[in-house]
Amino acid sequence: MKAATAHIDIDALRHNFSVLKSYAPDSKALAVVKANGYGHGLLEVARTVNDLCDGFAVARIEEALALRSGGIVKRVLLLEGFFSSSDLPILVINNIETVVHTPTQLEALEQAELDRPVSVWLKIDTGMHRLGIRPEEVADFVARLEACDNVQKPVRFITHFAAPMSWTAM
């Protein structure tokens, strides 16, 4: 049996990203390149849209480090956040931003001894129930993050659509 092969059309990828950005021209856009660029090659996809995007988002710290070692210097956001307090110095050294979505991550930030603060995005669960804190926890998390010397201010916010989206032709 012949294996399936996917080929990326770089011109189409660049065009599609440009079209998406045109809908919100005053907004910043991160290119999500997790899962090896969704199977098309992490660095190939990142380099293809590098001049069009404001930064990148990945799922795992290894992907973030691969972007850095591949010469990507723009903002890199770790969507699932860090899994161990020992990851925090790595984030600092490599200028990698992190999502915080659990009490354990918040406590690790509060207890860490870091050379400089980490840029943090607080993930709020608005109904998808994937990752994120409950809306009633937001005020406490924000207060603690704002008081934490290891957190770069301002704290940013992120969520996931409350339900999977389906597209229909108009």
Side-chain angles (χ1 to χ4, degrees), residues 1-7 39:
M1 175 180 283
K2 187 175 179 180
T5 303
H7 297 277

Side-chain angles (χ1 to χ4, degrees), residues 44-166:
E44 181 180 4
V45 172
R47 289 175 178 144
T48 296
V49 297
N50 190 48
D51 63 319
L52 301 173
C53 70
D54 299 289
F56 299 92
V58 296
R60 307 271 181 206
I61 195 167
E62 294 80 12
E63 294 169 321
L65 294 172
L67 288 174
R68 289 291 187 245
S69 66
I72 300 297
V73 297
K74 288 187 174 182
R75 162 181 277 163
V76 176
L77 175 63
L78 194 54
L79 290 172
E80 292 185 17
F82 56 94
F83 292 105
S84 169
S85 59
S86 64
D87 292 338
L88 288 169
I90 298 168
L91 299 182
V92 169
I93 290 168
N94 291 283
N95 195 30
I96 297 168
E97 301 179 17
T98 186
V99 165
V100 168
H101 62 90
T102 69
T104 303
Q105 290 170 323
L106 176 57
E107 291 163 7
L109 276 167
E110 291 172 326
Q111 296 168 8
E113 292 185 25
L114 302 176
D115 291 336
R116 68 176 190 272
V118 177
S119 181
V120 170
W121 298 58
L122 180 59
K123 182 146 189 190
I124 304 164
D125 181 359
T126 55
M128 188 67 145
H129 307 299
R130 292 179 69 182
L131 299 175
I133 63 168
R134 296 183 315 273
E136 60 270 18
E137 297 175 299
V138 171
D140 179 56
F141 267 72
V142 169
R144 289 173 64 185
L145 289 168
E146 290 289 339
C148 182
D149 290 337
N150 288 323
V151 175
Q152 187 180 79
K153 312 314 185 274
V155 173
R156 292 171 173 82
F157 300 88
I158 188 170
T159 191
H160 201 285
F161 289 116
M165 296 181 65
S166 61

Side-chain angles (χ1 to χ4, degrees), residues 18-25:
S18 295
V19 168
L20 287 172
K21 281 200 64 154
S22 75
Y23 288 118

